[in-house]
């Protein structure tokens, strides 16, 4: 029979650590537009160096994919995501909705959690589907531009705020108090 101190020791050593694997799928256009609308500044960008570790919260990153409409995708962004997170950037013909949805369904059997960076209500059905497949779904977005129903459908919501973005160097934010005065 174990003594009380031995029971405590055994309990301590029997702690269960759950290791989750996470895929982060980013609707780049949605997140960028959301940040720009909140900051009123086209030169404000997501700071992945602060945001990704916060989203992962000591969980293992399986995939990071940044979906971006258009052909002019920053090579610096592509290089940075690859070098720091083994991430990739996928250019989309139009919206990221369909390619992101396809990739999420492909990854559903390979990861425990999918984090979608977007507040777009177009992802509601995807969230419902992934959850029905047993995948934990988290949404990360700017609250002011996020669908309330999307947040309700997700298992968890991460609020992206000003601590998660930065202004490009050499670019100044327009001063709202010093508007140009027009001569009459």
């Amino acid at each position: 029979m174990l003594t009380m101190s031995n029971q405590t020791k055994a309990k301590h050593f029997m702690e269960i650590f759950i290791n989750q694997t996470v895929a982060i799928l980013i609707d780049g256009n949605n997140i960028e537009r959301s940040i720009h609308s909140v900051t009123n500044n086209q030169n404000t960008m997501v700071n992945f160096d602060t945001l990704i570790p916060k989203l992962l919260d000591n969980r293992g990153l399986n995939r990071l994919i940044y979906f971006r409409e258009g052909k002019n995708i920053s090579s610096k962004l592509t290089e940075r995501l690859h070098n720091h997170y083994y991430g990739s950037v996928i250019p989309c013909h139009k919206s990221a909705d369909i390619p992101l949805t396809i990739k999420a369904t492909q990854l559903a059997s390979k990861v425990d959690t999918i984090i979608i960076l977007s507040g777009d209500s177009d992802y509601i059905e995807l969230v419902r589907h992934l959850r029905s497949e047993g995948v934990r779904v988290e949404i990360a977005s700017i609250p002011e531009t996020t669908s309330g129903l999307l947040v309700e459908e997700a298992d968890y919501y991460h609020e992206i705020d000003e601590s998660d973005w930065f202004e490009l160097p050499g670019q100044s934010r327009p001063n709202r108090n010093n508007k140009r005065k027009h001569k009459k």
Side-chain angles (χ1 to χ4, degrees), residues 16-33:
I16 298 172
F17 293 97
I18 299 172
N19 186 17
Q20 281 187 12
T21 55
V22 179
I24 298 176
L25 306 178
I26 305 162
D27 181 338
N29 295 93
N30 179 273
I31 291 298
E32 289 174 21
R33 279 192 303 270

Side-chain angles (χ1 to χ4, degrees), residues 60-158:
L61 179 62
N62 178 285
R63 297 274 163 78
L64 183 138
I65 304 172
Y66 186 96
F67 296 87
R68 180 81 164 75
E69 181 182 336
K71 295 178 183 175
N72 298 330
I73 298 172
S74 166
S75 59
K76 285 184 181 180
L77 172 64
T78 302
E79 184 179 317
R80 184 165 193 78
L81 291 179
H82 178 73
N83 290 341
H84 288 88
Y85 307 105
Y86 303 104
S88 58
V89 175
I90 297 179
C92 305
H93 176 66
K94 290 191 178 192
S95 158
D97 300 1
I98 293 172
L100 189 147
T101 298
I102 292 169
K103 185 53 78 177
T105 55
Q106 290 171 339
L107 289 171
S109 64
K110 297 174 177 72
V111 297
D112 302 304
T113 302
I114 293 179
I115 302 174
I116 300 170
L117 267 71
S118 178
D120 192 338
S121 63
D122 289 347
Y123 295 113
I124 292 170
E125 291 304 320
L126 172 62
V127 171
R128 288 178 181 157
H129 171 73
L130 293 171
R131 291 187 70 213
S132 75
E133 295 291 318
V135 178
R136 177 179 171 84
V137 181
E138 301 175 10
I139 299 296
S141 63
I142 288 68
E144 295 88 340
T145 60
T146 299
S147 163
L149 188 53
L150 181 65
V151 172
E152 288 175 25
E153 291 293 331
D155 291 299
Y156 190 80
Y157 178 68
H158 301 271

